[in-house]
Amino acid sequence: MITDSQQIDRIIDCFGFLRRKDPTFKRHFFQAASVVHLDKPQSICHEGMSCTHLALVISGTARIYKLGENGREITLYRIGRGESCILTASCIISNTPFPAIAVCEEALEAVLIPTAEAQNWMSRFPAWQEYLFGLVSERLAEVITVVEEIAFRRVDHRLAAYLLKRAESDSSRVIKVTHQEIASDLGTSREVISRILKDFENRQAISVNRGSIDLLDIQALSDQL
Amino acid sequence: MITDSQQIDRIIDCFGFLRRKDPTFKRHFFQAASVVHLDKPQSICHEGMSCTHLALVISGTARIYKLGENGREITLYRIGRGESCILTASCIISNTPFPAIAVCEEALEAVLIPTAEAQNWMSRFPAWQEYLFGLVSERLAEVITVVEEIAFRRVDHRLAAYLLKRAESDSSRVIKVTHQEIASDLGTSREVISRILKDFENRQAISVNRGSIDLLDIQALSDQL
DNA sequence: GAGCCAATGTGACTAAGTCACATACATTCG
DNA sequence: CGAATGTATGTGACTTAGTCACATTGGCTC
């Protein structure tokens, strides 16, 4: 149960579906909700885990990924403010085990809703139901994009796009990231990333330093796409 | 509008959510529904198309796939009896364009529901809402499996698994399929499939003929996994 | 049987992934 | 300070996958 009115305002700010004129739902929501904090290298859900709570992210980010037998990883998607680990939601609704791994990436603050309530509200509150459905749909589209990328696009092109996107979202020309992290995001191996980065560097498009990459020539990278 | 009581029974048989004791929903459903037939090589949805109807499959199958720039394809999933093109559903709910291509594979018979009704029922009839949500969740899980496969597993292993699964679902040792079809399902190119098949043949696991493959040694194929 | 088309075969080449290391840089600790 | 340790990166040799440009084959029509 959450009672602190300041915190309630913050949460409503985050989750648009609470802003509707349905005081009943709002009451139920804050009645059942609790807030948790998770720190950086913490695992949230394991493969095959059945979920007891649904987590709605207030701040921070989590990364949802698949782990291959060989130890390689691939990021399926990330979730941030206002979103929710919808795989959890999906498991909740369809009672299937969680098919991936979720870890906290930037320190998380989240609202926890017990599975039973989350299910119950689905049929009682349209706002809640729309919220969850919208999230699953969005994830489905995102994961389909991932399929497309790994099935058809060359790694060097994907890498160039990755660097550009990263730079944009950090609004900085230098990106703090290791080759291994990139490889895990793109679903390839570290050596492959290192080699392509070296190649970009030889062509003066970037400068590679330990733990960071400086985008020297945005245009050259864009041309790679 | 569907009135033929025999047809209504058939449809109820297909879609469990109609079996509940909610006569209101049933009435609305058959009021808004219409039945269509689609033949084999027919396109259902194009990339980026916005969907005006939701199709619930009574019989036949459809294949949902992505098309790469280079002309290669990869199957995301198939839908059959009792299922629905949930990407369509997802588009309906979240109002995003359709991110893939759907084609009829075996002659389809389907119930069509106009978008507006499908959306409206979401908040009015829990059975409907559960049905749709369950489908999207299932697809999400399936597509995640596809990601895992193409990101981590070797093509020869995937091919062996494909052949075994195919033989099982057709309950026949010989599979009627071209190399190109397999390649399109697995998201690789025809040459790769041809070569691996030839390799399997050299090892006496299968026998390759024009348009069909005979699984001679199931055990040998299973060992590939 | 000639002609045609879809299905399959093939070699040479590029791209990607694997494996087994070698280096290099940064931080801590004696 | 310099050594020790651990993470990050570099590299060569090799296998697997994907591409390209064709050659061949089997089945069909006329």
Side-chain angles (χ1 to χ4, degrees):
Chain A
M1 166 120 127
I2 300 174
T3 48
D4 177 348
S5 81
Q6 206 176 335
Q7 187 154 46
I8 287 183
D9 285 346
R10 256 187 86 220
I11 292 175
I12 291 180
D13 240 33
C14 246
F15 302 99
F17 62 87
L18 289 170
R19 216 168 293 134
R20 318 254 185 122
K21 46 268 158 206
D22 186 342
T24 321
F25 177 42
K26 226 180 282 189
R27 200 177 63 239
H28 279 275
F29 184 86
F30 287 108
Q31 178 84 40
S34 55
V35 172
V36 280
H37 293 262
L38 282 178
D39 280 337
K40 194 150 175 183
Q42 200 155 349
S43 148
I44 303 169
C45 283
H46 320 281
E47 182 100 31
M49 177 171 143
S50 62
C51 309
T52 59
H53 293 263
L54 177 65
L56 309 180
V57 175
I58 301 171
S59 69
T61 58
R63 168 172 168 257
I64 319 297
Y65 67 97
K66 264 283 180 190
L67 186 61
E69 315 121 60
N70 39 17
R72 252 162 65 201
E73 301 179 1
I74 183 164
T75 298
L76 297 172
Y77 53 84
R78 293 186 157 77
I79 60 179
R81 179 189 147 92
E83 300 181 314
S84 161
C85 180
I86 202 55
L87 260 191
T88 315
S90 152
C91 298
I92 285 177
I93 311 291
S94 55
N95 266 311
T96 51
F98 194 76
I101 303 176
V103 292
C104 174
E105 214 167 37
E106 296 165 40
L108 276 174
E109 191 182 4
V111 179
L112 279 191
I113 308 290
T115 302
E117 315 295 332
Q119 263 170 329
N120 181 259
W121 297 343
M122 276 290 285
S123 44
R124 294 182 56 194
F125 306 113
W128 174 248
Q129 173 244 98
E130 268 171 47
Y131 171 71
L132 286 191
F133 206 95
L135 276 182
V136 187
S137 302
E138 227 175 87
R139 290 321 161 207
L140 183 56
E142 279 184 62
V143 176
I144 287 178
T145 304
V146 173
V147 170
E148 189 177 20
E149 294 259 305
I150 51 181
F152 304 131
R153 295 187 61 203
R154 295 174 38 139
V155 178
D156 52 355
H157 297 181
R158 293 170 58 210
L159 177 53
Y162 179 89
L163 293 176
L164 290 169
K165 193 169 133 201
R166 224 24 224 232
E168 184 163 19
S169 78
D170 297 8
S171 48
S172 155
R173 229 187 50 192
V174 301
I175 305 164
K176 269 205 43 138
V177 69
T178 68
H179 301 183
Q180 181 56 65
E181 284 167 349
I182 301 177
S184 294
D185 273 342
L186 298 186
T188 179
S189 59
R190 201 258 317 154
E191 295 92 320
V192 173
I193 296 298
S194 290
R195 273 195 267 267
I196 300 176
L197 284 176
K198 174 122 299 219
D199 186 55
F200 286 175
E201 190 171 41
N202 288 338
R203 292 198 244 149
Q204 328 277 328
I206 63 176
S207 144
V208 180
N209 304 356
R210 166 173 261 242
S212 80
I213 297 168
D214 188 346
L215 307 196
L216 301 176
D217 187 346
I218 303 281
Q219 191 54 49
L221 282 178
S222 308
D223 292 346
Q224 279 289 319
L225 304 180
Chain B
M1 165 118 126
I2 299 175
T3 48
D4 177 348
S5 81
Q6 205 176 337
Q7 187 154 48
I8 287 184
D9 285 346
R10 254 186 88 220
I11 292 174
I12 292 180
D13 239 33
C14 243
F15 301 100
F17 62 87
L18 288 171
R19 217 168 292 133
R20 318 253 186 126
K21 47 268 157 205
D22 187 341
T24 320
F25 177 43
K26 227 180 283 188
R27 200 178 61 240
H28 280 276
F29 185 87
F30 287 108
Q31 178 84 41
S34 54
V35 172
V36 280
H37 292 262
L38 281 178
D39 280 337
K40 195 150 177 184
Q42 199 154 352
S43 147
I44 304 170
C45 282
H46 318 281
E47 181 100 34
M49 174 172 146
S50 62
C51 310
T52 60
H53 292 265
L54 178 64
L56 309 180
V57 175
I58 302 172
S59 69
T61 58
R63 168 171 169 257
I64 318 297
Y65 66 96
K66 263 282 179 190
L67 187 61
E69 315 120 61
N70 39 15
R72 251 163 65 201
E73 302 179 359
I74 184 167
T75 298
L76 298 172
Y77 53 84
R78 293 186 158 78
I79 59 178
R81 180 190 147 90
E83 300 181 314
S84 159
C85 180
I86 203 54
L87 261 190
T88 315
S90 151
C91 298
I92 285 177
I93 311 290
S94 56
N95 267 311
T96 50
F98 194 76
I101 302 176
V103 293
C104 174
E105 214 167 34
E106 297 164 38
L108 276 174
E109 190 183 4
V111 179
L112 280 191
I113 308 290
T115 303
E117 313 296 330
Q119 263 171 329
N120 181 258
W121 297 343
M122 275 292 284
S123 44
R124 294 182 56 195
F125 305 113
W128 174 249
Q129 173 243 98
E130 268 171 48
Y131 171 72
L132 286 191
F133 206 96
L135 277 182
V136 187
S137 301
E138 228 174 86
R139 293 317 162 210
L140 183 56
E142 280 184 61
V143 177
I144 288 178
T145 304
V146 173
V147 170
E148 189 178 18
E149 295 259 305
I150 51 182
F152 304 132
R153 295 189 63 203
R154 294 173 41 136
V155 178
D156 51 355
H157 297 180
R158 291 171 59 211
L159 177 55
Y162 178 90
L163 294 176
L164 290 169
K165 194 170 131 201
R166 217 44 214 228
E168 184 162 22
S169 78
D170 297 7
S171 48
S172 155
R173 232 188 47 192
V174 301
I175 306 163
K176 270 206 39 131
V177 69
T178 69
H179 302 183
Q180 181 57 64
E181 283 168 351
I182 301 178
S184 295
D185 272 342
L186 298 185
T188 179
S189 59
R190 201 259 317 155
E191 295 91 321
V192 173
I193 296 297
S194 290
R195 273 195 267 267
I196 300 176
L197 284 176
K198 174 122 299 218
D199 186 56
F200 287 175
E201 189 169 41
N202 288 339
R203 292 198 245 150
Q204 328 276 330
I206 63 175
S207 146
V208 180
N209 306 84
R210 170 174 259 242
S212 78
I213 297 168
D214 188 347
L215 308 196
L216 302 175
D217 187 346
I218 304 282
Q219 191 53 50
L221 282 178
S222 307
D223 292 347
Q224 279 289 320
L225 304 180

